[in-house]
Amino acid sequence: MSLAKYAGVSLIAMSASMGHAGGMEATALSAGFMFEDGSYGSVSVQSQSPSVKAKTAAGVSVTSGSLIGSVSSTNLKAKMDVLDNMSVGITYYRQAGIKLDYTANWTTASGLTAGQIATMPKVDLDVTALALIAKYDVNENISVLGGLKNGTASDATASILASGVSATATGASSLSYIAGAAYEIPEIALRAELIYETKADYALTTDFAAVAIGVAADHTGATGKIHASTPDYINLYVQSGIAEDTLAYVSMRQAGWKKSQVSVQATTNNALFTSGTKAPLSDFADTTSYEIGLGRKFGTTWSSSIAYNWEGGSGPESTSYFTLTDGRQGLSVGAKYNFNENTAISFGGNYTDFGKVTFEAAKGGFVFSGNTATTLGLNISHSF
């Protein structure tokens, strides 16, 4: 078989890895563009619309809207050959984020008063990544990859009055590393790649607002840090031609979210916090996600893909406001149109169903079930 027989096969399939059950990942790093022939560039936009709501154990709705907000992002990729056996690339994407708002979407049907609802979490945090990657071809079959990733956490807000937190934080950056290797058999479009990403920690400086909890506990004027991080990742991707113009692939991604919690730390003593002590806000669990897909080329201009993706959960019960789902499973479809041999447009979508979880089951609990997310994407690429 010839590699050319697979040219143009669309692999735009995407998953709704919005996190919260196991972290806060938004977009996974993809090194696939480093294996494009010659110089290559692409720009893509992605929009995700989740619907995450809750009911009482008796089935009464306690939310007026989704607790997790919609988000749009732009991803950029560019790659060029600098030597016969070496290429460099750069990619920019929204790596992680939390768009969580109980205060605007929780109702008094839950049995809570308006004042109690005001103490529930509202968090807005975004982390974008700019990665520089180099690929060196040892021979026709084996290549190694390495790079640097600069993550930037933008200015963030965290209001969790029940925990004594009401803060606006100044953004921060963190450097992490990328390493990997790949094995290819070009004649059958076989590629197996293993990529490792190191953890990145963010300490966002903040001034706490005055917050009165219960008996006027107040931390007016306190300063501190909001700590967040993206974990170590292990990515395994394998693709192969299985018939003329037909490509199959499978991927696995492990993320160590258990050691990458969101926490708050005061640097001055106050009525609620002891200086230097970290108070955890999240209870993320380690995750392993999978995807299996199939791409098919039709003629010289069109190709399409379909993929099934899933992720295990941390259990059917939760005591964390940040854990609203127990795993996920989704279906992605994509299509690609080649204007010519250099320029193409791809578009696709993903529909994800989130697993049921009960919050504070020992106290009667609220049930998060029947929740979903829809993701749409568009990508334009050009080879030089």
Side-chain angles (χ1 to χ4, degrees), residues 48-296:
Q48 186 177 94
S49 301
S51 176
V52 178
K53 301 179 180 181
K55 298 179 180 179
T56 65
V60 178
S61 176
V62 297
T63 50
S64 59
S66 178
L67 299 175
I68 300 175
S70 299
V71 65
S72 298
S73 60
T74 301
N75 304 325
L76 305 173
K77 297 176 182 177
K79 172 256 181 186
M80 65 179 297
D81 296 332
V82 293
L83 297 172
D84 290 341
N85 60 350
M86 186 175 181
S87 57
V88 294
I90 189 168
T91 177
Y92 172 84
Y93 58 101
R94 179 176 180 263
Q95 182 181 5
I98 299 177
K99 302 291 184 183
L100 187 65
D101 191 351
Y102 280 82
T103 60
N105 297 291
W106 202 266
T107 72
T108 54
S110 62
L112 300 181
T113 66
Q116 290 171 317
I117 293 172
T119 69
M120 299 177 79
K122 180 178 181 179
V123 180
D124 190 344
L125 171 65
D126 276 306
V127 178
T128 57
L130 181 65
L132 177 65
I133 305 173
K135 181 172 77 76
Y136 177 77
D137 299 326
V138 179
N139 53 44
E140 185 184 43
N141 304 111
I142 298 173
S143 56
V144 293
L145 299 95
L148 301 174
K149 183 171 64 178
N150 185 66
T152 301
S154 60
D155 291 354
T157 58
S159 176
I160 311 173
L161 304 191
S163 299
V165 177
S166 180
T168 299
T170 302
S173 296
S174 180
L175 193 65
S176 57
Y177 304 94
I178 301 166
Y183 177 78
E184 298 176 87
I185 302 179
E187 291 77 14
I188 58 172
L190 172 69
R191 184 174 88 243
E193 62 182 73
L194 182 65
I195 304 292
Y196 175 71
E197 303 170 58
T198 63
K199 182 178 180 181
D201 294 306
Y202 303 90
L204 283 66
T205 303
T206 181
D207 291 318
F208 295 108
V211 179
I213 306 296
V215 291
D218 190 356
H219 58 282
T220 304
T223 59
K225 302 280 187 180
I226 292 178
H227 293 273
S229 61
T230 54
D232 292 333
Y233 294 103
I234 298 176
N235 308 279
L236 176 64
Y237 173 86
V238 181
Q239 72 168 47
S240 178
I242 57 174
E244 185 172 324
D245 296 332
T246 305
L247 191 72
Y249 76 95
V250 62
S251 66
M252 180 191 74
R253 182 171 174 85
Q254 290 184 337
W257 283 107
K258 193 172 183 178
K259 295 182 179 179
S260 297
Q261 306 296 335
V262 179
S263 63
V264 63
Q265 178 185 35
T267 53
T268 57
N269 290 318
N270 56 76
L272 291 173
F273 298 107
T274 301
S275 177
T277 302
K278 286 185 179 180
L281 302 179
S282 63
D283 187 22
F284 298 146
D286 293 344
T287 60
T288 303
S289 57
Y290 305 89
E291 184 165 89
I292 182 169
L294 190 68
R296 173 74 178 172

